[in-house]
Amino acid sequence: MATSLDVLDVQGKKAGSVELPAELFDVQTNVPLIHQVVVAQLAAARQGTHKTKTRAEVSGAGRKPFKQKGTGRARQGSIRAPQMTGGGIVHGPTPRNYSQRTPKKMIAAALLGSLSDRARGDRLHVIESLALGENPSTKSVIELLSKIATSKHVLIVLERDDELSRRSVRNISTVHVLPPDQLNAYDVLVSDDIIFTKAAFEAFVASKSKKEEVSA
């Protein structure tokens, strides 16, 4: 069963409505699943370029630092040994790939569960457009956000070719912008409010509906 959501204009007034398909915005929020997907996404973002030098790689001669006997000190075989100053590191980090294999259906389910949580909490908004006229206006966007999304972290979903809206929001530090095809569970969860332009919302719903038809 689909529910409706008001579409707002730039002044924050109702300018229509859109249907929220229940299969996209009213699904069960599986917290363990979302946690697994988010952890995998953050792991994949790690560079994994950490590296320390072993005793075979640090600079230094292979000679003994001092003679074996007669000094009263513990015997040492190399100035590159781990216990020596400037020596190699034992069991230090080496370059590795942190990415985890996550099935596409799990990623999709985590996204829909996150969006459904925001929709049930009245944190999902749809606006006609962020553009006023032919020039970008950051001031008008800030005024709009003060009316519909006063939270500290806001995710705005724009179509890729909506350059005017993108230029209007790019200098707002509390706003993160994504195209609908890059929407993911992590960015939804770290954002308190999700704002779609009407065109981006329709593109997102159409893409998900098309995939469901193909899989069926």
Side-chain angles (χ1 to χ4, degrees):
M1 180 178 179
T3 58
S4 61
L5 183 66
D6 291 342
V7 177
L8 307 177
D9 59 16
V10 181
Q11 283 74 36
K13 298 179 181 179
K14 181 177 179 180
S17 62
V18 292
E19 296 295 323
L20 292 180
E23 63 273 14
L24 300 181
F25 297 98
D26 193 21
V27 303
Q28 181 181 2
T29 302
N30 189 333
V31 176
L33 170 65
I34 294 175
H35 176 267
Q36 181 177 345
V37 171
V38 169
V39 168
Q41 181 177 343
L42 294 178
R46 297 183 65 176
Q47 286 186 326
T49 54
H50 39 43
K51 176 71 170 69
T52 58
K53 292 184 178 181
T54 65
R55 63 182 297 169
E57 298 168 321
V58 296
S59 299
R63 62 175 176 81
K64 289 172 67 66
F66 45 81
K67 63 181 182 179
Q68 180 83 345
K69 295 179 179 293
T71 65
R73 301 175 62 184
R75 55 194 177 189
Q76 301 293 334
S78 171
I79 60 175
R80 295 183 296 179
Q83 72 272 17
M84 303 295 288
T85 301
I89 303 298
V90 180
H91 305 307
T94 56
R96 57 167 290 192
N97 181 10
Y98 283 94
S99 62
Q100 305 174 18
R101 182 187 174 277
T102 308
K104 292 181 179 179
K105 289 186 176 181
M106 289 178 59
I107 297 175
L111 171 59
L112 298 184
S114 303
L115 286 174
S116 298
D117 178 72
R118 291 294 181 262
R120 286 189 286 265
D122 296 326
R123 292 292 190 174
L124 186 68
H125 315 278
V126 178
I127 58 176
E128 278 190 324
S129 175
L130 288 176
L132 267 180
E134 297 180 356
N135 297 315
S137 175
T138 302
K139 181 179 179 180
S140 63
V141 175
I142 293 177
E143 291 177 354
L144 174 63
L145 294 179
S146 67
K147 297 176 182 178
I148 66 174
T150 57
S151 57
K152 188 175 181 180
H153 302 286
V154 179
L155 174 63
I156 296 182
V157 185
L158 302 174
E159 285 198 300
R160 290 184 180 274
D161 58 357
D162 193 355
E163 186 62 27
L164 193 60
S165 297
R166 192 179 307 276
R167 291 170 62 189
S168 298
V169 301
R170 64 183 178 181
N171 290 328
I172 305 177
S173 60
T174 59
V175 168
H176 182 55
V177 180
L178 280 178
D181 58 345
Q182 287 190 358
L183 203 57
N184 59 86
Y186 172 75
D187 285 307
V188 171
L189 291 175
V190 298
S191 303
D192 300 312
D193 285 273
I194 316 298
I195 300 177
F196 285 86
T197 60
K198 187 176 180 182
F201 178 83
E202 292 173 347
F204 175 76
V205 172
S207 65
K208 294 300 179 182
S209 302
K210 183 177 180 181
K211 289 180 180 179
E212 288 184 357
E213 292 176 0
V214 172
S215 62

